[in-house]
Amino acid sequence: MTSVRRAAAGTITHIGQVISGQPKVGDKVVAEVDTVRRHNIMRNHTATHLLHKALHEILGDHARQAGSLVSPKYLRFDFTQPDGMTPEQIERVEKMVNEAIAADMPVVKVTKSLDEAKKEGAMALFGEKYGETVRTISILDSDSSLAENAGKPKYSYELCGGTHIDRTSDIGAFIIVSEGSAAAGIRRIEAVTGRGAYELINKRFKTLKQAASILKSNVDEVPQKVESGQSEIAELKKELANLRTQAALSTFNSLLSTVQTVKDVNVLAVEISNADTDTLRSLADKFREKYPKAGAAVLVTGATVIAVVTEDLVKRGLKAGDLITGIGGKGGGRPNLAQGSLPEGNVGEALGKLSKIVEEKLK
């Protein structure tokens, strides 16, 4: 069967696939269930009940089902929960479900009246409509046959018409793949079981072995090797940043000789290659150290531009932001220091406008 849907009240339609022949109305046919697909669904469905139980235990009784999907490949479970789960809570839920699987508990399916099921404490889904007769799924704490299970302690007890395995151990394994928000106040867990769990474990273990091979270590040493590598990379980045700053400073010192005098103001307009914003700010400070008065500069690297103006010029009406907009850029900041960006184009042409901008602003 490829699909089952409720066409109308009291009518369930099975949609199948014709394997051979050309059936006509009145023909006798053989319908077969895909057992592999069905068992995958059964594992995921029973695991959903175990997950529901674990969420109650770990998060509290407020964590109730708000929607679910049981497919052959994975299960999806939505539940009421105001906040995201912590990694520790996710780990505890996953462990509790796997312990229930390992306990090899019997899964008992019984049809009875709705009133009887409710009196026994069977969990019903909020908003779901039930008839007078319902199907109950009991996962028993202690092993017992169907005839002997009355009064036995139940690990989980829910109303459910879906297909289930006979014992929890048939699930094999349970792995939470993700936990996230589904809607306001609703969280969603996706997980895999059985074949899906094995495939995920196998895939992740292969990835881990590949990482170990690249790091030239064994699997157990991968976290330590990665952490060590991250520290080394951070140090190298720091050294590279220092080298770039020193190179930019050396270039800047040589460019200071290009300072022009415009209306008794020392004006500098330069492009510094391979610098970052912090480096530009550092160079702007160097300019102010060199020219504590009567100084205006625009420094550019890539699309980033920083403008600096000494305090005496600010009092005369010249602001750093005016320099950026004056050469065709966008940005802002304090009157004595502003940051912005230049559109793609001729940087040299833009910087060439600076002297004129200073002259006009100080008229």
Side-chain angles (χ1 to χ4, degrees):
M1 296 299 178
T2 59
S3 179
V4 178
R5 65 186 180 88
R6 193 180 299 275
T11 303
I12 297 177
T13 302
H14 294 264
I15 302 172
Q17 181 179 1
V18 176
I19 303 300
S20 63
Q22 296 179 333
K24 301 183 296 295
V25 175
D27 285 353
K28 291 184 178 181
V29 298
V30 176
E32 294 184 350
V33 173
D34 184 336
T35 55
V36 172
R37 178 179 181 275
R38 175 61 61 84
H39 286 153
N40 289 340
I41 293 172
M42 292 163 71
R43 293 185 186 98
N44 284 335
H45 202 161
T46 303
T48 299
H49 286 227
L50 296 178
L51 172 60
H52 200 181
K53 168 69 174 181
L55 290 171
H56 276 185
E57 293 293 321
I58 305 302
L59 301 180
D61 290 342
H62 68 274
R64 301 182 69 85
Q65 181 174 340
S68 69
L69 170 69
V70 178
S71 80
K73 294 184 177 180
Y74 71 102
L75 67 90
R76 186 178 72 206
F77 190 77
D78 296 347
F79 57 99
T80 50
Q81 166 71 5
D83 304 311
M85 295 175 64
T86 65
E88 180 191 15
Q89 288 172 331
I90 294 173
E91 184 178 346
R92 288 172 62 195
V93 166
E94 187 177 81
K95 181 180 179 181
M96 184 173 174
V97 173
N98 279 295
E99 286 177 346
I101 291 170
D104 189 33
M105 294 182 285
V107 181
V108 179
K109 307 96 175 176
V110 178
T111 300
K112 60 183 62 178
S113 72
L114 178 60
D115 288 340
E116 183 182 0
K118 285 184 175 181
K119 288 178 182 179
E120 293 174 350
M123 184 181 298
L125 297 184
F126 178 77
E128 189 77 11
K129 294 182 179 180
Y130 298 97
E132 294 181 2
T133 302
V134 293
R135 185 166 176 264
T136 64
I137 302 298
S138 302
I139 300 175
L140 305 180
D141 269 333
S142 57
D143 201 349
S144 62
S145 67
L146 180 61
E148 299 170 343
N149 76 73
K152 294 290 185 181
K154 295 179 176 61
Y155 181 86
S156 170
Y157 190 30
E158 298 189 35
L159 303 183
C160 183
T163 183
H164 288 269
I165 55 172
D166 293 326
R167 305 190 70 87
T168 59
S169 58
D170 294 340
I171 297 172
F174 172 87
I175 299 175
I176 293 177
V177 177
S178 66
E179 187 277 340
S181 175
I186 304 293
R187 304 297 295 180
R188 171 173 292 173
I189 282 178
E190 291 189 357
V192 290
T193 67
R195 289 183 176 87
Y198 168 76
E199 290 170 1
L200 181 61
I201 292 169
N202 189 44
K203 179 181 177 181
R204 287 182 174 176
F205 195 60
K206 280 184 178 179
T207 301
L208 187 58
K209 287 193 290 186
Q210 288 172 356
S213 176
I214 293 170
L215 294 169
K216 294 180 173 56
S217 69
N218 60 48
V219 169
D220 293 335
E221 293 174 340
V222 167
Q224 181 181 352
K225 284 279 189 176
V226 171
E227 185 176 356
S228 175
Q230 289 293 97
S231 298
E232 186 176 344
I233 290 171
E235 286 297 320
L236 290 173
K237 284 183 176 180
K238 187 177 179 180
E239 289 181 19
L240 180 58
N242 288 335
L243 289 173
R244 284 179 172 173
T245 299
Q246 293 302 317
L249 181 59
S250 176
T251 301
F252 182 71
N253 287 333
S254 65
L255 291 172
L256 282 175
S257 61
T258 65
V259 169
Q260 295 179 318
T261 302
V262 179
K263 280 187 169 292
D264 74 359
V265 175
N266 299 295
V267 178
L268 178 66
V270 294
E271 181 179 12
I272 310 293
S273 301
N274 299 320
D276 56 21
T277 303
D278 290 338
T279 300
L280 283 190
R281 287 179 176 273
S282 177
L283 297 180
D285 291 338
K286 291 291 183 183
F287 177 81
R288 284 188 288 193
E289 289 177 9
K290 177 74 174 178
Y291 300 101
K293 292 184 179 181
V298 169
L299 313 176
V300 177
T301 182
T304 303
V305 56
I306 285 182
V308 59
V309 175
T310 54
E311 292 294 342
D312 58 312
L313 296 183
V314 172
K315 293 176 181 179
R316 292 170 59 184
L318 183 62
K319 296 180 180 179
D322 295 337
L323 301 185
I324 294 177
T325 55
I327 65 172
K330 294 181 179 179
R334 302 193 307 273
N336 63 344
L337 182 67
Q339 179 179 332
S341 61
L342 280 176
E344 293 183 6
N346 191 333
V347 175
E349 181 181 341
L351 294 177
K353 299 176 182 179
L354 183 60
S355 295
K356 187 177 180 180
I357 298 299
V358 172
E359 185 175 2
E360 289 180 350
K361 292 292 183 180
L362 294 177
K363 282 181 180 178

